[in-house]
Structures are given as C-alpha cells and as structure tokens.
Amino acid sequence: MKEEQTRSLFGISLSDKPTWQQFLICTSGFFFGYLVNGVCEEYVYNRLQFSFGWYFTFIQGFVYLFLIYLQGFTTKHIVNPMRTYVKLSAVLMGSHGLTKGSLAYLNYPAQIMFKSTKVLPVMIMGAFIPGLRRKYPVHEYISAFLLVLGLILFTLADAQMSPNFSMIGIMMITGALIMDAFLGNLQEAIFTMNPETTQMEMLFCSTVVGLPFLFVPMVLTGEVFRAWTACAQHPYVYGVLVFEAMATFIGQVSVLSLIALFGAATTALITTARKGVTLLLSYLIFTKPLTEQHGSGLLLIAMGIVLKMVPMDSKAPTKIPARPAVRIAGGDGDREEEEERKSLV
C-alpha cells in the first residue's frame, strides 16, 4: 500500500486536521478565488464588451506559472510523466476557453443555468474513468438533481434579465460541460493512482502543456490580433486580468485540494453551490426583489445540500468492482493496476 500524500494549502497543513476543517479551509479558498473571478469576468465581458476567451486564458496561464514559481515549485518535484498531462491540459484549456468565450453568445444567467448542471455529468462520467470507476448511492444523485433544479429555477426567476440563448453559445457551453466532467474525474484518478502528486504539480503541468493548445484557436480565429488591439487601447485591462488570475489561482489550488481529499463529484457539488451563493449575494447587495420562484429555487438548493450532508448507509462513493487482479510473476504490482495506470497516460 502506498502512503497517503501529506496535503497542504498555501503553507496550511491539511493532513493533520479533522475532515471538517480540511473542508472549510479548501472551500473558503475556493469561494474567495471564484467570487473575485466572477466580479472581474462580469466587468470585462459585460461592461467592456470584451469577448476574448482564448486570449484571456492564455494570459492567465502565464500568471499561474509565475505564481507557482513563487511557491517554490520546480520541475524536480514532478512525479508523473509529462504525457499524463497532455489530454488533461487539452481538456482544461478547452474548458476555460469555451466557458469564457460562450459569454459572447450567452448572457450571464444563461451560462450559469447550463454550468449549474455540471455535477450530474461529473457523477455519471466517474463510472467510466480508468483507475476510478466511481459508483454513487441513489441519494447523492437526488441531491445533485435538486441542487441543479434549484439553481435553474432561481436563474429563470430573474425576469429583468432573462436567459439569452444562441446556438453557438449552447454548443460552446455544452462542450465545456463535457470537458469539465472528464477533467475533474481524470484529476481525481491521477491523485488516486499516484498519491505523491501535488496540487502544484497538477496545475503547473496542466498549464505548461496546455498553453500551446490555446495558441492554435487564437491564431485561426484571429482573436489574438483583435484582443491585442483592443487591450492596447485599454491597457488597464491587463491589471484586471492579472488580479483575476491571482484570485483564480487561489481558487484553482483549493479546488485541486478538494478533489484530492474529497473526490471530483463532491467538488463539483461545491462549485455548483457557489453559483447559488453568487446569485443570492447579487440580489442582497443590489436589493433586487425576491419572488416566490426565487424562494422555491433556494428551497431546492437547500434540500440538495442537506441531503448530501445527511449520513446514509453508503457514506462515500465506492469503486465499481473490477476484474480479479492478476499478479505478474516476479512483479511488484498487479497487471490490472498497471493497465489502468497506462490508460491514464
């Protein structure tokens, strides 16, 4: 058996703390990072009408690398082969670019409505990822469904700013959802198959390998030239992007910590709940009127969260039974584990 990796988050040790403290620390970092991210995105995409998703993600990647360097991470700390991160990086950068770019075709409520369903495909896809093979109890699927339905109701209740749909935007956000579902489960599988993998390694390798993937669509669509010209006229946008990337970096590392400690589905549930908190805060801060439909949405969200937290007979997701392991003569491991590890790389 491999020893479990000692986990920490920006110098705060997690492994020696009880589960509820681990959860609280990681969740707090995530909420802070992505609440700031949401404010910055709203400003850049809606106020300035800049829709350069690929270019902004490209800039964000270089900020990540600089922040990772400041954390003291070097290539000597990498324990997985770089090829492990090729498909992970392609999916990660594609998800970021499609999500940001979809705001050019969908308004914010429409995007939130689609992204709110993320937890369901994450749970479904977990059953098919080699090295993971998750199977969840029925009450967790019901919990996720209630949460998703509550968020959709809450979003649709905003009569002043109803969802604005576009086929291109729907296709982009659907692609981002599929990539997100694959991404979270693959990250969990890598942490599971090699417990020595750190959050910084995951983020560093994903970014380094993923940056070239962004360059192709930027050039082919001509976005790099349009974005360069637009940002040159408003250079302060780079300051907003750097600030957003710094906050999102905290959120990203916190999310990776949640995946390593609690799994992809639980993390997806938390990220979905964050959207509900963001919407509720916008109503409280800007004193918008809350209707009965808003109340119904909030009730369903609360029911979904409570159902997730209530202990059941099956307290944690289990792995789907696999084939009996076949020991390799003279080997140290079994063939099945080796096959699953190869499928990840």
Side-chain angles (χ1 to χ4, degrees):
M1 293 291 292
K2 297 175 183 175
E3 294 184 4
E4 188 176 343
Q5 168 71 19
T6 301
R7 299 287 171 194
S8 64
L9 182 62
F10 300 114
I12 302 173
S13 177
L14 298 174
S15 300
D16 58 354
K17 288 181 170 54
T19 302
W20 71 270
Q21 287 187 15
Q22 295 177 0
F23 184 82
L24 181 62
I25 293 170
C26 295
T27 304
S28 298
F30 163 72
F31 268 81
F32 168 78
Y34 279 92
L35 285 175
V36 173
N37 170 267
V39 172
C40 292
E41 281 193 347
E42 189 80 6
Y43 175 75
V44 172
Y45 284 93
N46 290 349
R47 293 290 182 86
L48 299 180
Q49 297 296 311
F50 283 4
S51 56
F52 310 122
W54 302 109
Y55 182 75
F56 289 164
T57 306
F58 191 72
I59 298 297
Q60 186 182 62
F62 284 101
V63 178
Y64 279 5
L65 294 179
F66 178 70
L67 293 173
I68 292 170
Y69 171 77
L70 292 182
Q71 293 292 315
F73 181 85
T74 66
T75 53
K76 293 185 296 185
H77 297 104
I78 298 175
V79 297
N80 291 300
M82 287 299 290
R83 65 179 181 273
T84 303
Y85 296 100
V86 171
K87 62 180 165 184
L88 180 68
S89 300
V91 172
L92 176 63
M93 293 302 174
S95 172
H96 283 183
L98 289 172
T99 299
K100 290 179 180 291
S102 68
L103 283 172
Y105 304 94
L106 302 173
N107 63 4
Y108 200 56
Q111 193 206 55
I112 288 181
M113 192 174 71
F114 278 99
K115 292 290 282 185
S116 297
T117 65
K118 172 183 172 179
V119 63
L120 294 174
V122 167
M123 295 177 73
I124 294 170
M125 192 170 288
F128 303 99
I129 299 295
L132 203 57
R133 308 291 186 185
R134 293 296 188 196
K135 183 173 66 174
Y136 297 92
V138 174
H139 81 274
E140 293 205 15
Y141 285 104
I142 297 174
S143 168
F145 177 76
L146 289 173
L147 184 63
V148 168
L149 183 60
L151 276 169
I152 291 175
L153 277 178
F154 194 96
T155 302
L156 291 177
D158 194 348
Q160 283 82 10
M161 189 180 179
S162 58
N164 179 27
F165 298 104
S166 161
M167 270 315 295
I168 297 177
I170 291 173
M171 291 173 63
M172 291 178 72
I173 201 65
T174 300
L177 277 174
I178 295 172
M179 290 182 177
D180 282 344
F182 182 75
L183 175 66
N185 283 296
L186 184 57
Q187 287 172 327
E188 183 185 353
I190 293 172
F191 281 126
T192 301
M193 298 295 288
N194 192 345
E196 295 181 358
T197 307
T198 64
Q199 301 97 305
M200 288 300 166
E201 174 186 335
M202 182 79 71
L203 191 54
F204 173 81
C205 294
S206 300
T207 304
V208 166
V209 179
L211 283 174
F213 286 104
L214 289 175
F215 194 74
V216 176
M218 278 197 307
V219 173
L220 291 179
T221 61
E223 181 177 303
V224 63
F225 309 109
R226 297 194 306 272
W228 180 266
T229 302
C231 292
Q233 296 173 355
H234 303 84
Y236 65 88
V237 171
Y238 287 109
V240 177
L241 292 177
V242 170
F243 180 70
E244 177 192 357
M246 291 171 67
T248 311
F249 177 77
I250 296 174
Q252 278 282 343
V253 179
S254 299
V255 163
L256 291 173
S257 301
L258 284 168
I259 291 173
L261 294 169
F262 299 99
T266 298
T267 303
L269 198 67
I270 295 166
T271 58
T272 303
R274 188 266 305 178
K275 295 178 178 64
V277 173
T278 303
L279 286 171
L280 182 59
L281 284 176
S282 71
Y283 273 80
L284 295 177
I285 292 172
F286 298 106
T287 61
K288 301 177 186 178
L290 290 171
T291 66
E292 290 183 1
Q293 189 170 333
H294 287 109
S296 300
L298 288 173
L299 180 61
L300 288 172
I301 291 171
M303 289 171 61
I305 294 173
V306 170
L307 184 59
K308 170 67 178 177
M309 296 174 65
V310 171
M312 299 281 182
D313 292 334
S314 300
K315 295 183 180 179
T318 58
K319 287 188 177 182
I320 295 175
R323 304 183 309 275
V326 180
R327 183 75 61 180
I328 300 175
D332 295 325
D334 37 67
R335 181 175 299 151
E336 180 180 297
E337 181 179 348
E338 185 63 26
E339 287 176 355
E340 290 194 328
R341 187 184 301 276
K342 286 180 179 177
S343 68
L344 289 176
V345 301

